[in-house]
Amino acid sequence: MRTVNALPERPLQAAPVDTGFLESLIGYNARRAALAIIGHVLQRLQPYGLRVVEFSVLTVIAHNPGVTSRQVCAALDILPPNLVGLLRRLEQRGLIEKRAHPGDRRAQGLYVTDAGAHLQAQAQQAVAAVECSDVTHLDAAERATLIALLRKVYQGPAAA
Amino acid sequence: MRTVNALPERPLQAAPVDTGFLESLIGYNARRAALAIIGHVLQRLQPYGLRVVEFSVLTVIAHNPGVTSRQVCAALDILPPNLVGLLRRLEQRGLIEKRAHPGDRRAQGLYVTDAGAHLQAQAQQAVAAVECSDVTHLDAAERATLIALLRKVYQGPAAA
DNA sequence: TATTGTTATACTCTATAACTATA
DNA sequence: TATAGTTATAGAGTATAACAATA
């Protein structure tokens, strides 16, 4: 039995509340874990002036030169109208550029500029650092297990 | 080597995109899994006219009779101003009620009405059904492992 | 001086309808 | 007829500042 009482006095707010049922749900726990980790990612990306979605988009473009808007949308579950503003900001900052798509004049290929590639590489290192056990509280084996189970949940049994 | 081509024709959108780095991150996978599962929860709650947050609040009140607003906020990571409207709607629907708090005239205890208790119990059954393997693609052991690892991530090593 | 509950407000994120140009 | 990209807009969700009543 612990006598946790780091707080002075102990206001109403601090009294324990039973959230047992919610804590038994995968959705509840996955959401809390995602918010916690993404909060750390947010902080690490701040020096680069990137939000989490912007980093995701920049990373997909960097790793897939010539990818189209629709492909980015499909890969990241972003709706096309919501990607327009994101791409515009990244383009205005000189991080990406659009070029004519060979073979389909409706589409346009997306490419990172040299500056975009440089920023993405630095940001990727910063983001990867969040996976360390100091932040995740997991060792390498636990982390691998967790990711495999999460992929199974949202990709189905087909998840590798 | 697979030749996956269930789609007719194959528009640009369907071409595969490398998201390898993102898929190696706990935050990315936890977010996708949470969105997938919570999407199912959303559907199951629709017959009861409850959003996910509303169900969470109703559940905490049902399991903690007399709980205060601030305690609900602390338990569910909701900011006090954002809880006001939620409670007002639940109260107007006759699902909860506020009573004077014994010993602190600033606070008010929250209680479910009979109708609220009935609705919450039904909704809880519907939500619990989402945990089945048909939806989560996990067996009981995998599910237990996943939840334990997720709690470790957002609660730290102190997670039971 | 600090806490409870509240209003007003702003900002982000997500979602839908509809348009254009190409296929 | 369907797809790629875009505009405009509506709706959630989330955030801060500031207030009255009470501790």
Side-chain angles (χ1 to χ4, degrees):
Chain A
M1 185 187 291
R2 301 170 300 159
T3 310
V4 177
N5 196 358
L7 296 169
E9 301 308 324
R10 183 186 299 233
L12 274 180
Q13 189 187 132
V17 171
D18 172 25
T19 52
F21 173 69
L22 297 178
E23 281 174 26
S24 76
L25 301 172
I26 292 176
Y28 180 82
N29 289 282
R31 179 158 191 277
R32 306 264 325 212
L35 288 175
I37 293 291
I38 291 175
H40 288 287
V41 173
L42 194 72
Q43 288 188 324
R44 306 283 183 124
L45 286 176
Q46 218 156 1
Y48 306 99
L50 291 174
R51 287 175 300 162
V52 177
V53 206
E54 290 171 334
F55 170 73
S56 300
V57 171
L58 188 60
T59 296
V60 167
I61 296 173
H63 293 1
N64 300 271
V67 72
T68 68
S69 283
R70 298 308 273 229
Q71 286 175 310
V72 174
C73 285
L76 297 179
D77 258 336
I78 298 175
L79 292 171
N82 298 330
L83 185 64
V84 176
L86 278 170
L87 293 181
R88 182 160 41 217
R89 271 186 294 276
L90 293 176
E91 195 180 14
Q92 285 174 347
R93 286 180 60 184
L95 301 176
I96 65 167
E97 61 184 19
K98 301 174 179 175
R99 300 185 206 157
H101 192 287
D104 191 334
R105 282 186 299 172
R106 293 172 304 181
Q108 46 197 351
L110 300 170
Y111 300 83
V112 286
T113 61
D114 288 347
H118 188 65
L119 189 76
Q120 193 280 329
Q122 283 188 296
Q124 178 166 324
Q125 270 198 311
V127 170
V130 174
E131 300 295 301
C132 74
S133 64
D134 286 353
V135 176
T136 63
H137 313 114
L138 303 178
D139 61 37
E142 290 173 320
R143 187 171 155 273
T145 301
L146 174 57
I147 289 179
L149 291 173
L150 288 171
R151 292 187 58 180
K152 222 168 172 182
V153 167
Y154 74 87
Q155 292 187 336
Chain B
M1 186 188 292
R2 301 172 298 159
T3 310
V4 178
N5 195 358
L7 296 170
E9 300 307 324
R10 185 188 297 229
L12 274 179
Q13 188 189 133
V17 172
D18 172 26
T19 52
F21 174 69
L22 298 177
E23 281 174 27
S24 77
L25 300 172
I26 292 177
Y28 180 83
N29 289 283
R31 180 158 190 276
R32 304 269 318 217
L35 288 175
I37 293 293
I38 291 175
H40 288 288
V41 173
L42 194 73
Q43 289 189 324
R44 306 282 184 126
L45 286 176
Q46 216 156 4
Y48 304 100
L50 291 174
R51 287 176 299 163
V52 177
V53 204
E54 290 170 334
F55 169 73
S56 300
V57 171
L58 187 60
T59 296
V60 167
I61 296 173
H63 294 1
N64 299 272
V67 70
T68 68
S69 283
R70 299 307 273 229
Q71 286 175 310
V72 173
C73 285
L76 297 179
D77 258 336
I78 297 175
L79 291 171
N82 298 329
L83 186 64
V84 176
L86 278 168
L87 293 180
R88 182 159 42 217
R89 272 187 294 277
L90 293 176
E91 194 180 16
Q92 284 174 346
R93 286 180 60 185
L95 300 176
I96 67 166
E97 61 182 20
K98 301 174 179 176
R99 300 185 205 156
H101 191 285
D104 192 333
R105 281 186 299 170
R106 293 172 304 180
Q108 46 198 348
L110 300 170
Y111 299 84
V112 286
T113 61
D114 288 347
H118 189 66
L119 189 77
Q120 193 281 328
Q122 284 188 296
Q124 178 167 323
Q125 270 198 311
V127 170
V130 174
E131 300 295 300
C132 73
S133 63
D134 286 352
V135 177
T136 61
H137 312 115
L138 302 178
D139 61 37
E142 289 173 321
R143 186 171 156 274
T145 301
L146 174 57
I147 289 179
L149 291 174
L150 288 171
R151 292 187 59 181
K152 220 167 172 182
V153 167
Y154 74 87
Q155 293 187 335

